[in-house]
Amino acid sequence: MPELPEVEVVRRGLQNWVVGRRIAGVDVAHPRAVRRHLAGPSDFAARLVGTTARSAERRGKYLWLPLDSGAALVAHLGMSGQLLVQPSDTPDEVHLRARLTFADGGRELRFVDQRTFGGLAVEETDPAGVPLSVVHIARDPLDPAFDDDAFVAALRGRRTGVKRALLDQALVSGIGNIYADESLWRAKVHYDRAAASLRASDVRRLLGAARAVMTEALAQGGTSFDALYVNVNGESGYFDRSLDAYGQAGEPCNRCGALIVREPFMNRSSFRCPRCQPPARHGGRRA
DNA sequence: CTATGAACCTGACAGC
DNA sequence: TGCTGTCAGGTTCATA
């Protein structure tokens, strides 16, 4: 779920509430939450106790806290993960999977995850400080070091549909089903248009649209349809009110008035305006 | 390399 | 009330 804006909201919360505090205790309530930590829950806990996070980092949808031990606590929220900063007397959440307590006795950090697609792990980092499980993830469009020219060339070199390419976290990270559809709507591109058929100017327009929509969503605290996507204090963002395509099937297009349609795509859904984003006549995937 | 589909989970909702 | 089927913001692996 959470895509770049929602994960960035969480990162800022961690920066604010967790960085600089020494970890005193770790409780893993559900071993699946640390399945990526191959040495197991007790090793996971042992590598955290006594350490302090130096900062809160993010690349795409991955979060990590560089620790003063040299390792990093990596978190991925999957489809339903939350990181909550809670007073210790707050009753346990139904889907509480792990809890970190701190030496200062203040609020604890809880990993709550209904569907358990997310998880935590303590990992080594590469010389640049990037955790090993994140090294294969491309930079995201809001990263100052994102290389626009390289992205334009790489996307146009893909022999696949443009939305597939946008969702490939090894090509560009942070974009999921919501922001892919919103970016394509803004750029007036059909999701199945062959990536290789796009002009460089089309790709730049698409990239600009992705940046704009994610920046606007971030300013509104992210997109949240229910209580599943919240910041570390449990508050929802409200960008869902600003969506032009995603989830808008049957609603009039905010640009031309045609009714937005939903179509099956990659075992999920794509939303588009049939008039602004028509199927390409000869620019389709098979062209 | 690309393309599907399935798997991993729980819960909400629609329809009968 | 309860059953069945469908759907959900993601990632990864197996099979063509």
Side-chain angles (χ1 to χ4, degrees), chain A residues 2 7 21 25 33 38 46 78 91 98-99 109 113 118 122 131 133 144 158 170 184 211 216 231 247:
Chain A
V7 178
R21 303 173 64 203
L38 301 180
R99 181 200 330 266
L109 177 63
D113 189 8
V122 179
S133 71
R158 290 293 175 102
L184 290 163
R211 278 203 179 103
E216 290 168 28
N231 66 15

Side-chain angles (χ1 to χ4, degrees), chain A residues 20-279:
Chain A
R21 303 173 64 203
R22 188 160 61 85
I23 298 171
V26 176
D27 169 30
V28 177
H30 195 313
R32 188 173 151 75
V34 296
R35 66 191 181 286
R36 297 265 171 67
H37 190 95
L38 301 180
S42 55
D43 184 78
F44 172 78
R47 288 181 188 278
L48 287 176
V49 171
T51 68
T52 300
R54 297 173 188 265
S55 64
E57 309 292 333
R58 181 188 58 73
R59 178 174 289 187
K61 304 168 193 171
Y62 285 80
L63 286 168
W64 70 92
L65 302 175
L67 304 170
D68 57 3
S69 65
L73 171 58
V74 181
H76 194 289
L77 302 178
M79 289 283 267
S80 57
Q82 306 173 327
L83 284 166
L84 302 176
V85 175
Q86 297 278 48
S88 54
D89 61 359
T90 303
D92 287 1
E93 292 75 10
V94 174
H95 301 295
L96 176 66
R97 308 305 187 194
R99 181 200 330 266
L100 272 62
T101 57
F102 296 88
D104 57 22
R107 293 182 178 216
E108 50 190 51
L109 177 63
R110 300 180 181 183
F111 179 62
V112 176
D113 189 8
Q114 176 197 109
R115 295 175 70 182
T116 69
F117 290 172
L120 307 175
V122 179
E123 298 179 14
E124 301 307 308
T125 66
D126 74 0
V130 179
L132 299 186
S133 71
V134 186
V135 169
H136 71 292
I137 300 297
R139 290 185 186 273
D140 59 67
L142 300 191
D143 185 331
F146 188 89
D147 186 332
D148 288 22
D149 293 335
F151 170 73
V152 170
L155 186 134
R156 297 179 77 212
R158 290 293 175 102
R159 290 200 276 183
T160 186
V162 62
K163 183 171 173 182
R164 254 175 216 289
L166 288 180
L167 294 176
D168 183 346
Q169 306 295 302
L171 176 66
V172 54
S173 69
I175 300 174
N177 211 28
I178 292 180
Y179 297 107
D181 281 1
E182 293 300 306
S183 303
L184 290 163
W185 181 86
R186 290 191 181 205
K188 300 185 185 180
V189 175
H190 187 287
Y191 61 83
D192 215 17
R193 174 83 181 272
S197 77
L198 293 169
R199 292 170 299 207
S201 59
D202 295 328
V203 180
R204 289 186 190 284
R205 195 172 75 249
L206 186 55
L207 176 58
R211 278 203 179 103
V213 70
M214 291 196 290
T215 299
E216 290 168 28
L218 181 55
Q220 296 185 47
T223 299
S224 178
F225 305 124
D226 50 41
L228 225 42
Y229 302 110
V230 296
N231 66 15
V232 299
N233 299 311
E235 300 154 346
S236 294
Y238 45 93
F239 191 71
D240 60 304
R241 299 169 201 169
S242 304
L243 295 175
D244 290 306
Y246 187 86
Q248 306 304 304
E251 298 295 320
C253 170
N254 288 332
R255 198 164 38 210
C256 79
L259 300 187
I260 300 292
V261 296
R262 176 170 80 87
E263 294 165 337
F265 176 78
M266 287 174 79
N267 279 338
R268 35 168 52 126
S269 299
S270 262
F271 297 86
R272 69 180 174 91
C273 171
R275 189 178 299 162
C276 297
Q277 303 164 270

